[in-house]
Each structure stands twice: as C-alpha cells, then as structure tokens.
Amino acid sequence: MHSREGDLRKAPIGVFDSGVGGLTVVREIMRQIPNESIIFFGDTARVPYGSKSKETVTRYSRQIVRFLLTHEVKTIVVACNTASACALEDLEKETEVPIIGVVKPGARMASQVTRNGRIGVIATEATIGSRIYSQYIQELNSKVTIFGKACPLFVPLVEEGLWQDPVTDEIARRYLTELIDCDIDTLILGCTHYPLIRSTLGKIMGEGVTLVNPAYETARELRRMLEEKGLLNPEEPGLGSNRYQFYVSDKAEKFKQFANSIIKYGILSAKTVNIEDY
Ligand code: DGL
C-alpha cells in the first residue's frame, strides 16, 4: 500500500522515459506546473525501446515504476510514447498511484484540431506497430483517417545534436513525403525526441499542417488531473528541497550534458541506479 505521512500534495511526480527524450515532457511540466517536484528516471542503459517488443518494454516499465514508487511519488507520468503504447494499459491496472501516458493527450488534441479528418502520426516502429494512436483517435471520432509513419532515424539524429542540420532535413523530407501525399492537416509528433526538431518538421509540412506536441498536451492533462484529485502542490518547494532529481541506468554524465541543452534550469546532478534490482 501507498502510505505516506503528511501532505500528499507536496509529494513529487515520477516521470520516466527510455532515455533522454522524456526531458521534453519534464520541460513542459516545469513550465506549466512550476510548484511541483519531479523525480525523473531515464533508462539510458536499455534505450531504445522503439525497436523492442511489447513484452520487453512492459517488463522494463514495471521495474521503473517500482523504482519510482520507492520515492513515494504521488503520480507517475509515462513520458515515453513507446512505453505508453506498449505498457500503459497493464501499468494502470497494477499501480497504486494515478498514472498517465503521453499518447491519449496527443490523440485527443489531434482529434480536436483536424479540419479535414486526416491525421498523420510519426513515431518509433513499436508505437506505429501498436496502432495505439489510431485506436484512441478513432474512439473519439470514427470518421477520422490516421496515417502512421515510423521514423527510426530521428532519435539518433536528435541525440547527435543534429537538430538543424541538412542531414536531418533530407531524412525528414524522405519520411514525410508520404504523409504530405496523404493530404493530412494535422501531424502528431509521437516520440519524445521530435519536438526538438519541430521547426524542421514544420517547414517541410508547411503552414497548412498543425503539429501536435504530446509533451505539451500531457503536462496540461497532468495539471488538470492533479487539480481534480486535489493533488496540486499549493506552494513552491523551498530552496534546497531537491526539487528536481534525475536518475539514469547508465552514463549519468552524458545524460547531464544532454539534459542541460534542453532544460535551461541547470541540472546539477544525475545519479546512476541499477534498475535490474527493481
Ligand atoms: N522515448 C521513445 C519514444 O518516445 C523514443 C526513444 C526510444 O526508442 O526509446 O517513443
């Protein structure tokens, strides 16, 4: 059971991802709900999840949830699209604190903004293969048509720092041509890394296509959920409260460097955890 002395509202939010990409979600939570403390776990030893099976991603995700619960988190955000696609349904049934993923918030926004009912989704192979975005969007509006495209090269390009580079531009054009030909008017950036190349994607898709960022939508949904459950932290955590804590399963120093290029707040430390112990 989840037992905690004191005010549950002041407990941290647990956030996890397969690696560094989930920091795009952390960044949105920091912006939109600044009073909250965060415990982040990035599975840098076992990334990528996008090319793994549902069973493996679920097993990894369960270990991470167990780790986060040792920090007495009040809620958990599955920042990884692949883990949300493969494992969230099981995690929801098993976890004693509220748990939300990034897929539903992104799907909801896309179904609201499309005008012509043609939505594109770009994501990892596992997310596209799961057809989870199609499933959620069609539950909301069965008239919408969804076109999925796996873009496996974007993750390494982003992690190499090639956010605005002719190589990324060329590869993005190759991936996206198919979706442009499908006449979509909305494109879901269904992977943690893609918001970091948003300007390249936007330029290629053109002004007529609305880009949906599930990281942003998830932070909004998280805020709403915490409000509804009376779990929003009413006051800013004090100085020295260790408000943002980062854990990884490997290469903490490399993680810290990447993190500092995304989050301007200044991440001073990241600790390594042996996640197989959980
Ligand atoms: N975090 C993953 C996602 O959002 C991308 C990286 C990976 O394949 O693990 O799907």
Side-chain angles (χ1 to χ4, degrees), residues 49-52 54 57 80-86 103 119-137 146-154 175-176 178-179 187-191 194 214:
Y49 284 11
S51 53
K52 295 194 170 68
K54 180 178 165 69
V57 173
C80 179
N81 283 259
T82 305
S84 299
C86 297
V103 172
I119 298 175
V121 182
I122 51 173
T124 63
E125 272 173 62
T127 303
I128 296 298
S130 75
R131 305 185 57 80
I132 190 100
Y133 272 103
S134 311
Q135 190 189 312
Y136 286 150
I137 293 170
I146 295 103
F147 303 89
K149 175 79 184 160
C151 303
L153 290 172
F154 283 163
Y175 281 145
L176 298 178
E178 196 176 307
L179 294 176
L187 179 66
I188 301 177
L189 311 185
C191 173
Y194 303 175

